[in-house]
Amino acid sequence: MAIISKKKNIYKISATLRDYLKRHDREIKLPINYKDLLRYDNSIALIDQRGKDTFWETVFYPQDEMKDIHHSVKTIYAILKADGDLSVMEHLFVDRIDLCIFGNTQPFRIRIVNRINDNFDYFYIKNADASRVYGLELEHLLSPNRISYVVHEETLIEEHIVGIPGDQFIKYHLNDKNLNQIRLAKEFVKFNERCFVRLLGDMHSSNFVIDITPDFEEVDYRLRAIDFDQQSYEGRKAIYLPQYFKQNNPLIEIGLKCMTPETVKQYQKEERSLIAHRYKASKEKVNELLAAMSTDNISTPKNVKSLAKDLARHYNNDDFLHCNTMGELVRKSLETVLNQKPTYQFP
């Protein structure tokens, strides 16, 4: 069972990583920063439709500041969604600004509403953490998902990732008569593989969503990570395998019921092949990112050494023992997995 007992440190964006972000248009000047949103003077607990506490608080700002703050966050939304075209702001208004005081980076969530049709959207304003930025970029480059985010100084802006939170899906949707258990189990295996290859940790059911897409005959599922704080930080292999989190056990049980070990290996091989294609399609950017990551400090020496030992045993490859940073471990993991057969069983 995988358990994280302590919050990780927040690592500032290094000069090398910032150069990468600037070269690839991820660093953009913004009209407001994270610290500006901390100037709220009141807040109330946000309750969901079932009357339960969401652990978010809706915050309120002094009247003389609220207009400027709302205009600034709408401008950020235009940058994120329309490449800075401010004409999209004409019919938008800020319905709510929420703060998650329990989050590692204490993010703000902005709810934007179109007053013409009441359609709404969200995005997030967070403290910029290098681990999270590396995680977002690796997700963008090596997963089937595209990620929209920008950075300005110590502020990180992220789009909202649509889907049913994994814990809610497990609680309310697993007994749906239309649930395709085989497809869901297959996607969990592929998600498990993606997380392990790029060393994204802490993927328990609260940290991913399930995106459901109706197909012409069936329903398709995709698991998408929504929390990247634990990108290459912890020192234990189990943290990077979603199959070892007890919160995911209902999905594991479906996999055990629906799949054989041979089927699991087939899906692992499929996902590794897809990762290889994504790597080849963005080879220069991936190598540039990993070069920055390999010289960056985003974990403790103790964690790096411990994870290196775990991966060396896992792959029977002592090359991992010569890695001195988490970035070097990610690079070696990617190189190794793209050239090897699966070496672990599920679960």
Side-chain angles (χ1 to χ4, degrees):
M1 184 171 64
I3 298 176
I4 295 176
S5 58
K6 296 181 180 179
K7 287 186 176 181
K8 65 175 283 293
N9 297 324
I10 294 178
Y11 293 92
K12 290 188 176 183
I13 295 175
S14 66
T16 308
L17 175 56
R18 198 171 294 279
D19 286 343
Y20 173 91
L21 297 172
K22 289 178 180 178
R23 281 194 297 273
H24 299 288
D25 298 322
R26 294 293 198 181
E27 173 94 14
I28 297 176
K29 186 173 178 58
L30 299 173
I32 197 172
N33 60 45
Y34 175 85
K35 290 182 179 179
D36 292 331
L37 294 182
L38 294 174
R39 299 201 303 263
Y40 62 91
D41 62 357
N42 201 0
S43 66
I44 58 172
L46 181 63
I47 306 301
D48 68 14
Q49 294 177 343
R50 297 183 177 90
K52 295 184 178 181
D53 193 342
T54 63
F55 302 109
W56 289 77
E57 293 184 355
T58 298
V59 298
F60 303 94
Y61 295 91
Q63 196 67 29
D64 59 338
E65 295 186 33
M66 187 171 64
K67 183 177 180 180
D68 288 341
I69 288 175
H70 282 197
H71 182 270
S72 294
V73 296
K74 286 197 297 181
T75 301
I76 291 175
Y77 183 78
I79 292 171
L80 198 63
K81 295 292 187 177
D83 199 27
D85 183 358
L86 301 184
S87 65
V88 302
M89 295 168 50
E90 184 178 352
H91 304 295
L92 302 179
F93 69 92
V94 179
D95 182 47
R96 216 172 58 221
I97 298 178
D98 304 322
L99 171 65
C100 181
I101 59 175
F102 295 100
N104 204 38
T105 54
Q106 297 196 343
F108 286 93
R109 181 177 62 196
I110 317 299
R111 177 179 161 110
I112 299 284
V113 178
N114 187 320
R115 60 168 48 89
I116 294 178
N117 56 18
D118 291 330
N119 190 35
F120 60 88
D121 196 4
Y122 297 96
F123 70 94
Y124 300 84
I125 300 178
K126 303 178 179 180
N127 241 328
D129 173 31
S131 300
R132 176 176 282 274
V133 174
Y134 282 120
L136 288 165
E137 191 67 10
L138 285 169
E139 179 79 1
H140 182 74
L141 296 173
L142 296 178
S143 85
N145 311 305
R146 304 281 70 81
I147 300 289
S148 179
Y149 75 92
V150 293
V151 174
H152 175 58
E153 296 178 349
E154 303 307 318
T155 298
L156 170 65
I157 309 297
E158 287 182 38
E159 70 172 346
H160 176 65
I161 297 175
V162 176
I164 302 173
D167 53 351
Q168 293 185 25
F169 186 92
I170 289 171
K171 188 173 183 180
Y172 299 110
H173 297 272
L174 280 191
N175 294 323
D176 189 331
K177 64 179 181 179
N178 296 317
L179 181 73
N180 188 317
Q181 294 188 341
I182 294 177
R183 287 195 173 192
L184 180 61
K186 172 184 176 180
E187 173 55 22
F188 187 84
V189 171
K190 293 165 79 70
F191 178 67
N192 197 70
E193 190 76 5
R194 289 197 297 272
C195 292
F196 188 61
V197 170
R198 43 77 66 90
L199 298 180
L200 175 62
D202 199 26
M203 282 299 109
H204 56 77
S205 59
S206 296
N207 285 341
F208 62 81
V209 297
I210 299 179
D211 186 11
I212 304 174
T213 305
D215 201 353
F216 71 100
E217 281 188 334
E218 260 297 348
V219 174
D220 197 27
Y221 304 92
R222 177 174 293 174
L223 272 64
R224 297 192 60 180
I226 58 173
D227 191 332
F228 299 91
D229 284 343
Q230 290 286 342
Q231 172 65 52
S232 311
Y233 176 77
E234 291 286 337
R236 290 176 294 140
K237 180 187 75 172
I239 297 298
Y240 303 100
L241 287 161
Q243 70 186 63
Y244 288 124
F245 285 91
K246 66 177 182 179
Q247 297 94 328
N248 301 336
N249 281 349
L251 299 178
I252 300 293
E253 291 168 4
I254 290 175
L256 292 172
K257 182 174 66 174
C258 296
M259 296 186 296
T260 64
E262 291 74 19
T263 304
V264 171
K265 289 181 180 179
Q266 173 196 334
Y267 293 150
Q268 290 173 328
K269 187 174 181 180
E270 284 181 13
E271 189 57 32
R272 278 196 318 282
S273 177
L274 290 171
I275 292 173
H277 286 302
R278 295 174 199 130
Y279 170 74
K280 292 174 183 176
S282 305
K283 188 173 183 179
E284 290 185 5
K285 287 183 71 174
V286 174
N287 288 339
E288 188 181 344
L289 180 70
L290 291 179
M293 194 177 184
S294 295
T295 62
D296 212 344
N297 173 33
I298 55 171
S299 188
T300 66
K302 180 181 178 181
N303 284 353
V304 173
K305 186 176 181 179
S306 175
L307 184 58
K309 289 180 178 178
D310 275 3
L311 294 177
R313 285 193 296 266
H314 177 84
Y315 291 114
N316 192 26
N317 182 351
D318 287 344
D319 287 349
F320 284 95
L321 300 177
H322 303 297
C323 296
N324 297 312
T325 66
M326 283 296 183
E328 291 179 359
L329 287 175
V330 173
R331 185 197 297 276
K332 182 57 63 176
S333 174
L334 186 59
E335 290 174 354
T336 303
V337 173
L338 293 179
N339 292 286
Q340 276 197 356
K341 297 179 180 179
T343 56
Y344 63 86
Q345 297 299 315
F346 178 84

